[in-house]
Amino acid sequence: MSGFSTARLKMVDGQVRTNDVTDRRILDAMLTVPREAFVPASRQALAYLDLDLDVSEGATKRFLIKPQLTGKLLQAAEIGEGDSVLVVGCATGYLAALAAKLARQVSATECDSALATKAKEAFATLGLANVTCKAAPCTAGDPSAAPYDVIILNGAAEVTPDGLFGQLKEGGRLVGVSAESRPPRAMIVTRTHGEFGHRALFDATAPVLPGLERAAAFVF
């Protein structure tokens, strides 16, 4: 076993399973998708640590969210084999690659065009033919492939991402971390008969996605 293979096994056993991720398909995906392939070479030694991993190339800080939160959000999303999925703010694409192992088709967006290119290169290297990535603001989603069964935020939102809700199918669900109030919590939003139901899942923290920050309060 290579060092990365051993680290991947330890990540799944020590961080993911221990946080109540029991879905076999998700565990298998996390055991097979090499997280280091989505991390700059200088930081690959950090690829399997329990942290939000900075993969930034430009001025905007961009992250792969913690492995255990990644697993828990995927489990909450209940992705079916026939589902169409949108991953928002995918950074270098790790969460989107995992979703591609679970879904029929995955569309991913990333606001940093250089990272979107890196995501596409990683997907091609790994032979993932059912996932695409395009450069787009996190607030925009990807209307071209909408509506989606599942939308996953690769990070937190301090404001309600209303523009994304409209890209959900009837019966579709959006999962991510809401940092609108304290403490921040993972949430699921479900579309039923055109209405949107919100349910808190568990306390969680994640870096806020660009464009989904709370507007700074005006101070004299």
Side-chain angles (χ1 to χ4, degrees):
M1 247 192 185
S2 73
F4 284 129
S5 300
T6 304
R8 201 173 305 129
L9 184 61
K10 285 182 175 173
M11 174 191 77
V12 171
D13 286 345
Q15 298 171 44
V16 182
R17 289 182 201 268
T18 53
N19 275 283
D20 301 322
V21 178
T22 55
D23 187 317
R24 185 75 242 171
R25 295 168 67 228
I26 294 167
L27 296 173
D28 286 347
M30 296 186 85
L31 284 168
T32 54
V33 174
R35 200 165 189 253
E36 73 276 8
F38 298 89
V39 178
S42 61
R43 279 168 251 164
Q44 284 186 337
L46 308 175
Y48 292 98
L49 298 184
D50 180 22
L51 49 78
D52 298 310
L53 185 52
D54 184 350
V55 294
S56 310
E57 300 277 321
T60 306
K61 286 287 190 190
R62 302 296 298 111
F63 297 87
L64 304 186
I65 58 175
K66 292 182 193 72
Q68 53 100 347
L69 179 57
T70 300
K72 290 186 81 164
L73 291 177
L74 284 168
Q75 183 162 273
E78 296 185 350
I79 297 170
E81 290 176 7
D83 283 354
S84 172
V85 177
L86 171 66
V87 176
V88 174
C90 75
T92 49
Y94 176 66
L95 176 52
L98 294 172
K101 294 283 190 181
L102 308 170
R104 175 180 57 80
Q105 183 65 40
V106 178
S107 301
T109 63
E110 170 48 45
C111 61
D112 183 322
S113 58
L115 292 189
T117 298
K118 288 204 177 310
K120 285 189 272 197
E121 289 168 354
F123 301 151
T125 300
L126 296 173
L128 296 170
N130 65 330
V131 54
T132 60
C133 182
K134 61 174 65 171
C138 293
T139 50
D142 183 3
S144 69
Y148 301 96
D149 298 288
V150 175
I151 298 175
I152 305 178
L153 306 185
N154 179 51
E158 291 179 331
V159 294
T160 302
D162 291 316
L164 300 177
F165 292 172
Q167 294 180 32
L168 282 174
K169 278 183 191 173
E170 176 67 22
R173 50 242 173 249
L174 178 148
V175 296
V177 174
S178 171
E180 288 186 72
S181 56
R182 296 281 169 227
R185 293 193 169 96
M187 301 282 295
I188 185 165
V189 178
T190 310
R191 181 172 196 161
T192 313
H193 307 306
E195 301 287 315
F196 298 97
H198 300 245
R199 182 163 58 89
L201 299 170
F202 49 87
D203 289 356
T205 58
V208 178
L209 289 168
L212 294 177
E213 307 95 341
R214 188 181 290 106
F218 183 71
V219 179
F220 284 104

